[in-house]
mmCIF file of all heavy atoms in Angstrom:
data_model
loop_
_atom_site.group_PDB
_atom_site.id
_atom_site.type_symbol
_atom_site.label_atom_id
_atom_site.label_comp_id
_atom_site.label_asym_id
_atom_site.label_seq_id
_atom_site.Cartn_x
_atom_site.Cartn_y
_atom_site.Cartn_z
ATOM 1 N N THR A 170 -82.354 31.408 -7.374
ATOM 2 C CA THR A 170 -83.447 31.653 -8.326
ATOM 3 C C THR A 170 -84.527 30.585 -8.178
ATOM 4 O O THR A 170 -85.724 30.892 -8.153
ATOM 5 C CB THR A 170 -82.906 31.648 -9.771
ATOM 6 O OG1 THR A 170 -81.930 32.674 -9.879
ATOM 7 C CG2 THR A 170 -84.019 31.888 -10.775
ATOM 8 N N LEU A 171 -84.102 29.351 -8.076
ATOM 9 C CA LEU A 171 -85.082 28.257 -7.975
ATOM 10 C C LEU A 171 -85.892 28.359 -6.677
ATOM 11 O O LEU A 171 -87.064 27.977 -6.641
ATOM 12 C CB LEU A 171 -84.376 26.902 -8.044
ATOM 13 C CG LEU A 171 -83.791 26.548 -9.419
ATOM 14 C CD1 LEU A 171 -83.011 25.246 -9.352
ATOM 15 C CD2 LEU A 171 -84.901 26.439 -10.462
ATOM 16 N N ARG A 172 -85.269 28.886 -5.619
ATOM 17 C CA ARG A 172 -85.999 29.023 -4.356
ATOM 18 C C ARG A 172 -86.924 30.236 -4.378
ATOM 19 O O ARG A 172 -87.944 30.262 -3.699
ATOM 20 C CB ARG A 172 -85.002 29.188 -3.200
ATOM 21 C CG ARG A 172 -84.316 27.902 -2.821
ATOM 22 C CD ARG A 172 -83.486 28.078 -1.552
ATOM 23 N NE ARG A 172 -82.459 27.054 -1.491
ATOM 24 C CZ ARG A 172 -81.162 27.270 -1.636
ATOM 25 N NH1 ARG A 172 -80.714 28.506 -1.820
ATOM 26 N NH2 ARG A 172 -80.311 26.273 -1.593
ATOM 27 N N LEU A 173 -86.541 31.228 -5.197
ATOM 28 C CA LEU A 173 -87.249 32.508 -5.163
ATOM 29 C C LEU A 173 -88.587 32.454 -5.892
ATOM 30 O O LEU A 173 -89.502 33.191 -5.572
ATOM 31 C CB LEU A 173 -86.358 33.585 -5.789
ATOM 32 C CG LEU A 173 -86.635 35.023 -5.394
ATOM 33 C CD1 LEU A 173 -86.566 35.182 -3.896
ATOM 34 C CD2 LEU A 173 -85.639 35.952 -6.074
ATOM 35 N N TYR A 174 -88.684 31.621 -6.897
ATOM 36 C CA TYR A 174 -89.864 31.671 -7.758
ATOM 37 C C TYR A 174 -90.624 30.354 -7.819
ATOM 38 O O TYR A 174 -90.756 29.769 -8.893
ATOM 39 C CB TYR A 174 -89.463 32.115 -9.170
ATOM 40 C CG TYR A 174 -88.818 33.467 -9.210
ATOM 41 C CD1 TYR A 174 -87.469 33.605 -9.493
ATOM 42 C CD2 TYR A 174 -89.556 34.618 -8.920
ATOM 43 C CE1 TYR A 174 -86.860 34.852 -9.516
ATOM 44 C CE2 TYR A 174 -88.954 35.870 -8.936
ATOM 45 C CZ TYR A 174 -87.613 35.978 -9.237
ATOM 46 O OH TYR A 174 -87.020 37.206 -9.254
ATOM 47 N N PRO A 175 -91.147 29.898 -6.686
ATOM 48 C CA PRO A 175 -91.961 28.673 -6.738
ATOM 49 C C PRO A 175 -93.140 28.824 -7.690
ATOM 50 O O PRO A 175 -93.589 27.855 -8.287
ATOM 51 C CB PRO A 175 -92.419 28.490 -5.295
ATOM 52 C CG PRO A 175 -92.182 29.785 -4.605
ATOM 53 C CD PRO A 175 -91.074 30.459 -5.336
ATOM 54 N N LYS A 176 -93.610 30.067 -7.869
ATOM 55 C CA LYS A 176 -94.781 30.262 -8.723
ATOM 56 C C LYS A 176 -94.477 30.056 -10.198
ATOM 57 O O LYS A 176 -95.376 29.940 -11.013
ATOM 58 C CB LYS A 176 -95.376 31.656 -8.491
ATOM 59 C CG LYS A 176 -95.843 31.801 -7.038
ATOM 60 C CD LYS A 176 -96.857 32.881 -6.815
ATOM 61 C CE LYS A 176 -97.434 32.743 -5.404
ATOM 62 N NZ LYS A 176 -98.113 33.939 -4.929
ATOM 63 N N ARG A 177 -93.177 30.061 -10.565
ATOM 64 C CA ARG A 177 -92.817 29.708 -11.937
ATOM 65 C C ARG A 177 -92.627 28.195 -12.070
ATOM 66 O O ARG A 177 -92.138 27.715 -13.094
ATOM 67 C CB ARG A 177 -91.490 30.380 -12.330
ATOM 68 C CG ARG A 177 -91.572 31.876 -12.422
ATOM 69 C CD ARG A 177 -90.255 32.439 -12.937
ATOM 70 N NE ARG A 177 -90.211 33.884 -12.709
ATOM 71 C CZ ARG A 177 -89.111 34.619 -12.752
ATOM 72 N NH1 ARG A 177 -87.951 34.036 -13.028
ATOM 73 N NH2 ARG A 177 -89.152 35.908 -12.531
ATOM 74 N N GLY A 178 -92.977 27.466 -11.026
ATOM 75 C CA GLY A 178 -92.774 26.023 -11.070
ATOM 76 C C GLY A 178 -91.354 25.634 -10.717
ATOM 77 O O GLY A 178 -90.915 24.528 -10.999
ATOM 78 N N TYR A 179 -90.632 26.536 -10.096
ATOM 79 C CA TYR A 179 -89.247 26.258 -9.732
ATOM 80 C C TYR A 179 -89.192 25.572 -8.366
ATOM 81 O O TYR A 179 -89.972 25.902 -7.457
ATOM 82 C CB TYR A 179 -88.444 27.551 -9.633
ATOM 83 C CG TYR A 179 -88.105 28.189 -10.963
ATOM 84 C CD1 TYR A 179 -87.517 29.452 -11.001
ATOM 85 C CD2 TYR A 179 -88.349 27.541 -12.175
ATOM 86 C CE1 TYR A 179 -87.184 30.051 -12.201
ATOM 87 C CE2 TYR A 179 -88.021 28.147 -13.381
ATOM 88 C CZ TYR A 179 -87.445 29.399 -13.391
ATOM 89 O OH TYR A 179 -87.120 29.994 -14.575
ATOM 90 N N ALA A 180 -88.280 24.651 -8.240
ATOM 91 C CA ALA A 180 -87.962 24.098 -6.930
ATOM 92 C C ALA A 180 -86.502 23.702 -6.938
ATOM 93 O O ALA A 180 -86.014 23.111 -7.907
ATOM 94 C CB ALA A 180 -88.838 22.892 -6.610
ATOM 95 N N ALA A 181 -85.805 24.059 -5.882
ATOM 96 C CA ALA A 181 -84.370 23.760 -5.792
ATOM 97 C C ALA A 181 -84.162 22.388 -5.173
ATOM 98 O O ALA A 181 -84.968 21.953 -4.345
ATOM 99 C CB ALA A 181 -83.678 24.824 -4.954
ATOM 100 N N PRO A 182 -83.097 21.699 -5.552
ATOM 101 C CA PRO A 182 -82.745 20.455 -4.857
ATOM 102 C C PRO A 182 -82.604 20.759 -3.367
ATOM 103 O O PRO A 182 -82.042 21.789 -2.998
ATOM 104 C CB PRO A 182 -81.379 20.089 -5.456
ATOM 105 C CG PRO A 182 -81.305 20.791 -6.767
ATOM 106 C CD PRO A 182 -82.130 22.035 -6.607
ATOM 107 N N THR A 183 -83.097 19.893 -2.528
ATOM 108 C CA THR A 183 -82.950 20.124 -1.086
ATOM 109 C C THR A 183 -81.722 19.410 -0.529
ATOM 110 O O THR A 183 -81.363 19.634 0.617
ATOM 111 C CB THR A 183 -84.200 19.652 -0.317
ATOM 112 O OG1 THR A 183 -84.409 18.276 -0.610
ATOM 113 C CG2 THR A 183 -85.423 20.461 -0.707
ATOM 114 N N VAL A 184 -81.114 18.585 -1.340
ATOM 115 C CA VAL A 184 -79.903 17.893 -0.886
ATOM 116 C C VAL A 184 -78.744 18.204 -1.829
ATOM 117 O O VAL A 184 -78.899 18.136 -3.043
ATOM 118 C CB VAL A 184 -80.120 16.363 -0.839
ATOM 119 C CG1 VAL A 184 -78.898 15.669 -0.256
ATOM 120 C CG2 VAL A 184 -81.363 16.023 -0.040
ATOM 121 N N GLN A 185 -77.627 18.602 -1.228
ATOM 122 C CA GLN A 185 -76.401 18.760 -1.997
ATOM 123 C C GLN A 185 -75.423 17.713 -1.512
ATOM 124 O O GLN A 185 -75.111 17.663 -0.328
ATOM 125 C CB GLN A 185 -75.785 20.122 -1.745
ATOM 126 C CG GLN A 185 -76.335 21.225 -2.605
ATOM 127 C CD GLN A 185 -75.646 22.542 -2.321
ATOM 128 O OE1 GLN A 185 -74.438 22.624 -2.353
ATOM 129 N NE2 GLN A 185 -76.416 23.546 -2.006
ATOM 130 N N GLN A 186 -74.924 16.925 -2.437
ATOM 131 C CA GLN A 186 -74.033 15.876 -1.998
ATOM 132 C C GLN A 186 -72.671 16.037 -2.652
ATOM 133 O O GLN A 186 -72.561 16.443 -3.805
ATOM 134 C CB GLN A 186 -74.662 14.517 -2.322
ATOM 135 C CG GLN A 186 -74.137 13.446 -1.398
ATOM 136 C CD GLN A 186 -75.063 12.263 -1.288
ATOM 137 O OE1 GLN A 186 -76.281 12.404 -1.423
ATOM 138 N NE2 GLN A 186 -74.503 11.110 -1.044
ATOM 139 N N ASP A 187 -71.641 15.769 -1.887
ATOM 140 C CA ASP A 187 -70.283 15.916 -2.388
ATOM 141 C C ASP A 187 -70.024 14.849 -3.439
ATOM 142 O O ASP A 187 -70.124 13.652 -3.156
ATOM 143 C CB ASP A 187 -69.296 15.787 -1.232
ATOM 144 C CG ASP A 187 -67.903 16.231 -1.637
ATOM 145 O OD1 ASP A 187 -67.674 16.475 -2.848
ATOM 146 O OD2 ASP A 187 -67.043 16.342 -0.750
ATOM 147 N N LEU A 188 -69.680 15.290 -4.650
ATOM 148 C CA LEU A 188 -69.429 14.336 -5.725
ATOM 149 C C LEU A 188 -68.106 13.607 -5.544
ATOM 150 O O LEU A 188 -67.918 12.491 -6.032
ATOM 151 C CB LEU A 188 -69.423 15.080 -7.068
ATOM 152 C CG LEU A 188 -69.179 14.222 -8.303
ATOM 153 C CD1 LEU A 188 -70.282 13.206 -8.483
ATOM 154 C CD2 LEU A 188 -69.061 15.095 -9.549
ATOM 155 N N ARG A 189 -67.178 14.247 -4.837
ATOM 156 C CA ARG A 189 -65.808 13.708 -4.778
ATOM 157 C C ARG A 189 -65.719 12.264 -4.298
ATOM 158 O O ARG A 189 -64.980 11.467 -4.899
ATOM 159 C CB ARG A 189 -64.935 14.641 -3.938
ATOM 160 C CG ARG A 189 -64.485 15.861 -4.743
ATOM 161 C CD ARG A 189 -63.990 16.975 -3.851
ATOM 162 N NE ARG A 189 -65.115 17.608 -3.170
ATOM 163 C CZ ARG A 189 -65.178 18.888 -2.854
ATOM 164 N NH1 ARG A 189 -64.165 19.690 -3.118
ATOM 165 N NH2 ARG A 189 -66.237 19.380 -2.245
ATOM 166 N N PRO A 190 -66.437 11.901 -3.216
ATOM 167 C CA PRO A 190 -66.302 10.503 -2.792
ATOM 168 C C PRO A 190 -66.735 9.520 -3.878
ATOM 169 O O PRO A 190 -66.159 8.428 -3.987
ATOM 170 C CB PRO A 190 -67.230 10.423 -1.576
ATOM 171 C CG PRO A 190 -67.299 11.813 -1.049
ATOM 172 C CD PRO A 190 -67.230 12.692 -2.271
ATOM 173 N N LEU A 191 -67.704 9.891 -4.703
ATOM 174 C CA LEU A 191 -68.187 8.979 -5.742
ATOM 175 C C LEU A 191 -67.158 8.805 -6.849
ATOM 176 O O LEU A 191 -66.848 7.685 -7.257
ATOM 177 C CB LEU A 191 -69.504 9.486 -6.337
ATOM 178 C CG LEU A 191 -70.774 9.144 -5.569
ATOM 179 C CD1 LEU A 191 -70.836 9.860 -4.235
ATOM 180 C CD2 LEU A 191 -72.010 9.491 -6.391
ATOM 181 N N THR A 192 -66.637 9.919 -7.356
ATOM 182 C CA THR A 192 -65.638 9.800 -8.415
ATOM 183 C C THR A 192 -64.342 9.223 -7.856
ATOM 184 O O THR A 192 -63.639 8.488 -8.558
ATOM 185 C CB THR A 192 -65.378 11.162 -9.088
ATOM 186 O OG1 THR A 192 -65.138 12.136 -8.068
ATOM 187 C CG2 THR A 192 -66.576 11.592 -9.912
ATOM 188 N N ALA A 193 -64.042 9.527 -6.613
ATOM 189 C CA ALA A 193 -62.820 8.992 -6.012
ATOM 190 C C ALA A 193 -62.876 7.471 -5.974
ATOM 191 O O ALA A 193 -61.896 6.785 -6.294
ATOM 192 C CB ALA A 193 -62.633 9.556 -4.601
ATOM 193 N N GLU A 194 -64.015 6.956 -5.590
ATOM 194 C CA GLU A 194 -64.145 5.493 -5.492
ATOM 195 C C GLU A 194 -63.989 4.847 -6.871
ATOM 196 O O GLU A 194 -63.377 3.780 -6.995
ATOM 197 C CB GLU A 194 -65.510 5.147 -4.876
ATOM 198 C CG GLU A 194 -65.629 3.717 -4.407
ATOM 199 C CD GLU A 194 -64.642 3.326 -3.299
ATOM 200 O OE1 GLU A 194 -64.106 4.237 -2.619
ATOM 201 O OE2 GLU A 194 -64.380 2.121 -3.142
ATOM 202 N N MET A 195 -64.517 5.517 -7.897
ATOM 203 C CA MET A 195 -64.341 4.982 -9.252
ATOM 204 C C MET A 195 -62.887 5.073 -9.693
ATOM 205 O O MET A 195 -62.319 4.111 -10.217
ATOM 206 C CB MET A 195 -65.215 5.758 -10.252
ATOM 207 C CG MET A 195 -66.712 5.566 -10.073
ATOM 208 S SD MET A 195 -67.666 6.601 -11.237
ATOM 209 C CE MET A 195 -67.296 5.777 -12.804
ATOM 210 N N ARG A 196 -62.305 6.234 -9.469
ATOM 211 C CA ARG A 196 -60.944 6.471 -9.964
ATOM 212 C C ARG A 196 -59.905 5.623 -9.232
ATOM 213 O O ARG A 196 -58.815 5.392 -9.749
ATOM 214 C CB ARG A 196 -60.608 7.960 -9.872
ATOM 215 C CG ARG A 196 -61.276 8.820 -10.938
ATOM 216 C CD ARG A 196 -61.099 10.320 -10.683
ATOM 217 N NE ARG A 196 -59.697 10.657 -10.455
ATOM 218 C CZ ARG A 196 -59.263 11.839 -10.042
ATOM 219 N NH1 ARG A 196 -60.148 12.819 -9.811
ATOM 220 N NH2 ARG A 196 -57.984 12.060 -9.851
ATOM 221 N N LEU A 197 -60.228 5.176 -8.044
ATOM 222 C CA LEU A 197 -59.277 4.367 -7.279
ATOM 223 C C LEU A 197 -58.985 3.051 -8.000
ATOM 224 O O LEU A 197 -57.868 2.530 -7.926
ATOM 225 C CB LEU A 197 -59.852 4.104 -5.875
ATOM 226 C CG LEU A 197 -59.041 3.221 -4.941
ATOM 227 C CD1 LEU A 197 -57.610 3.752 -4.781
ATOM 228 C CD2 LEU A 197 -59.715 3.138 -3.577
ATOM 229 N N PHE A 198 -59.977 2.528 -8.688
ATOM 230 C CA PHE A 198 -59.801 1.266 -9.399
ATOM 231 C C PHE A 198 -59.610 1.553 -10.878
ATOM 232 O O PHE A 198 -60.549 1.950 -11.571
ATOM 233 C CB PHE A 198 -60.998 0.349 -9.156
ATOM 234 C CG PHE A 198 -61.119 -0.035 -7.712
ATOM 235 C CD1 PHE A 198 -61.866 0.728 -6.828
ATOM 236 C CD2 PHE A 198 -60.407 -1.134 -7.223
ATOM 237 C CE1 PHE A 198 -61.938 0.395 -5.484
ATOM 238 C CE2 PHE A 198 -60.486 -1.471 -5.878
ATOM 239 C CZ PHE A 198 -61.243 -0.696 -4.999
ATOM 240 N N LYS A 199 -58.391 1.365 -11.348
ATOM 241 C CA LYS A 199 -58.069 1.727 -12.722
ATOM 242 C C LYS A 199 -58.611 0.677 -13.696
ATOM 243 O O LYS A 199 -58.447 -0.526 -13.480
ATOM 244 C CB LYS A 199 -56.551 1.847 -12.892
ATOM 245 C CG LYS A 199 -55.985 3.241 -12.579
ATOM 246 C CD LYS A 199 -56.123 3.654 -11.130
ATOM 247 C CE LYS A 199 -55.576 5.043 -10.883
ATOM 248 N NZ LYS A 199 -55.794 5.450 -9.479
ATOM 249 N N ASP A 200 -59.195 1.178 -14.793
ATOM 250 C CA ASP A 200 -59.657 0.272 -15.829
ATOM 251 C C ASP A 200 -58.522 0.009 -16.831
ATOM 252 O O ASP A 200 -57.426 0.549 -16.705
ATOM 253 C CB ASP A 200 -60.936 0.809 -16.490
ATOM 254 C CG ASP A 200 -60.750 2.180 -17.110
ATOM 255 O OD1 ASP A 200 -59.644 2.494 -17.604
ATOM 256 O OD2 ASP A 200 -61.725 2.958 -17.110
ATOM 257 N N GLU A 201 -58.801 -0.830 -17.814
ATOM 258 C CA GLU A 201 -57.752 -1.232 -18.750
ATOM 259 C C GLU A 201 -57.087 -0.038 -19.428
ATOM 260 O O GLU A 201 -55.872 0.020 -19.586
ATOM 261 C CB GLU A 201 -58.348 -2.178 -19.816
ATOM 262 C CG GLU A 201 -58.430 -3.620 -19.348
ATOM 263 C CD GLU A 201 -57.153 -4.065 -18.651
ATOM 264 O OE1 GLU A 201 -56.081 -4.082 -19.295
ATOM 265 O OE2 GLU A 201 -57.219 -4.407 -17.434
ATOM 266 N N ASP A 202 -57.937 0.907 -19.824
ATOM 267 C CA ASP A 202 -57.410 2.070 -20.514
ATOM 268 C C ASP A 202 -56.465 2.852 -19.600
ATOM 269 O O ASP A 202 -55.399 3.295 -20.020
ATOM 270 C CB ASP A 202 -58.574 2.969 -20.949
ATOM 271 C CG ASP A 202 -58.093 4.160 -21.722
ATOM 272 O OD1 ASP A 202 -57.672 3.978 -22.880
ATOM 273 O OD2 ASP A 202 -58.098 5.272 -21.160
ATOM 274 N N GLU A 203 -56.860 2.988 -18.376
ATOM 275 C CA GLU A 203 -56.025 3.742 -17.432
ATOM 276 C C GLU A 203 -54.712 3.018 -17.152
ATOM 277 O O GLU A 203 -53.653 3.639 -17.055
ATOM 278 C CB GLU A 203 -56.797 3.953 -16.127
ATOM 279 C CG GLU A 203 -58.017 4.845 -16.307
ATOM 280 C CD GLU A 203 -58.734 5.104 -14.997
ATOM 281 O OE1 GLU A 203 -59.414 4.169 -14.515
ATOM 282 O OE2 GLU A 203 -58.578 6.203 -14.457
ATOM 283 N N ILE A 204 -54.793 1.720 -17.008
ATOM 284 C CA ILE A 204 -53.572 0.959 -16.736
ATOM 285 C C ILE A 204 -52.592 1.110 -17.897
ATOM 286 O O ILE A 204 -51.394 1.280 -17.700
ATOM 287 C CB ILE A 204 -53.925 -0.523 -16.479
ATOM 288 C CG1 ILE A 204 -54.649 -0.629 -15.121
ATOM 289 C CG2 ILE A 204 -52.671 -1.396 -16.481
ATOM 290 C CD1 ILE A 204 -55.289 -1.986 -14.858
ATOM 291 N N HIS A 205 -53.143 1.149 -19.104
ATOM 292 C CA HIS A 205 -52.291 1.358 -20.269
ATOM 293 C C HIS A 205 -51.569 2.706 -20.202
ATOM 294 O O HIS A 205 -50.371 2.802 -20.445
ATOM 295 C CB HIS A 205 -53.137 1.263 -21.542
ATOM 296 C CG HIS A 205 -52.362 1.588 -22.773
ATOM 297 N ND1 HIS A 205 -51.506 0.691 -23.380
ATOM 298 C CD2 HIS A 205 -52.271 2.739 -23.489
ATOM 299 C CE1 HIS A 205 -50.932 1.267 -24.421
ATOM 300 N NE2 HIS A 205 -51.381 2.514 -24.512
ATOM 301 N N GLN A 206 -52.317 3.748 -19.880
ATOM 302 C CA GLN A 206 -51.689 5.086 -19.805
ATOM 303 C C GLN A 206 -50.662 5.130 -18.675
ATOM 304 O O GLN A 206 -49.610 5.765 -18.807
ATOM 305 C CB GLN A 206 -52.746 6.188 -19.565
ATOM 306 C CG GLN A 206 -54.015 6.115 -20.387
ATOM 307 C CD GLN A 206 -53.803 6.316 -21.872
ATOM 308 O OE1 GLN A 206 -52.681 6.464 -22.345
ATOM 309 N NE2 GLN A 206 -54.903 6.259 -22.622
ATOM 310 N N MET A 207 -50.970 4.495 -17.573
ATOM 311 C CA MET A 207 -50.067 4.503 -16.427
ATOM 312 C C MET A 207 -48.770 3.753 -16.738
ATOM 313 O O MET A 207 -47.690 4.171 -16.341
ATOM 314 C CB MET A 207 -50.759 3.874 -15.212
ATOM 315 C CG MET A 207 -51.882 4.724 -14.627
ATOM 316 S SD MET A 207 -51.305 6.267 -13.874
ATOM 317 C CE MET A 207 -50.486 5.616 -12.422
ATOM 318 N N ARG A 208 -48.900 2.644 -17.458
ATOM 319 C CA ARG A 208 -47.701 1.916 -17.887
ATOM 320 C C ARG A 208 -46.817 2.814 -18.741
ATOM 321 O O ARG A 208 -45.604 2.865 -18.583
ATOM 322 C CB ARG A 208 -48.097 0.702 -18.738
ATOM 323 C CG ARG A 208 -48.337 -0.532 -17.950
ATOM 324 C CD ARG A 208 -48.541 -1.742 -18.877
ATOM 325 N NE ARG A 208 -49.327 -2.740 -18.188
ATOM 326 C CZ ARG A 208 -48.850 -3.508 -17.202
ATOM 327 N NH1 ARG A 208 -47.588 -3.395 -16.821
ATOM 328 N NH2 ARG A 208 -49.637 -4.376 -16.595
ATOM 329 N N GLN A 209 -47.489 3.541 -19.650
ATOM 330 C CA GLN A 209 -46.743 4.397 -20.556
ATOM 331 C C GLN A 209 -46.084 5.540 -19.768
ATOM 332 O O GLN A 209 -44.917 5.865 -20.003
ATOM 333 C CB GLN A 209 -47.699 4.946 -21.628
ATOM 334 C CG GLN A 209 -47.018 5.647 -22.781
ATOM 335 C CD GLN A 209 -46.099 4.713 -23.576
ATOM 336 O OE1 GLN A 209 -46.166 3.483 -23.449
ATOM 337 N NE2 GLN A 209 -45.200 5.314 -24.354
ATOM 338 N N ALA A 210 -46.821 6.128 -18.828
ATOM 339 C CA ALA A 210 -46.248 7.194 -17.996
ATOM 340 C C ALA A 210 -45.051 6.658 -17.216
ATOM 341 O O ALA A 210 -44.018 7.329 -17.088
ATOM 342 C CB ALA A 210 -47.313 7.751 -17.035
#
Side-chain angles (χ1 to χ4, degrees):
Chain A
T170 300
L171 290 175
R172 285 188 202 110
L173 203 56
Y174 300 110
K176 298 201 169 163
R177 293 185 194 164
Y179 286 172
T183 57
V184 185
Q185 275 181 53
Q186 205 157 330
D187 192 351
L188 180 63
R189 280 163 287 213
L191 277 68
T192 50
E194 194 62 20
M195 293 177 70
R196 285 171 51 189
L197 177 55
F198 296 90
K199 272 66 181 177
D200 59 33
E201 277 315 298
D202 183 72
E203 294 183 286
I204 290 169
H205 175 79
Q206 315 295 3
M207 290 293 289
R208 271 188 205 286
Q209 191 62 15

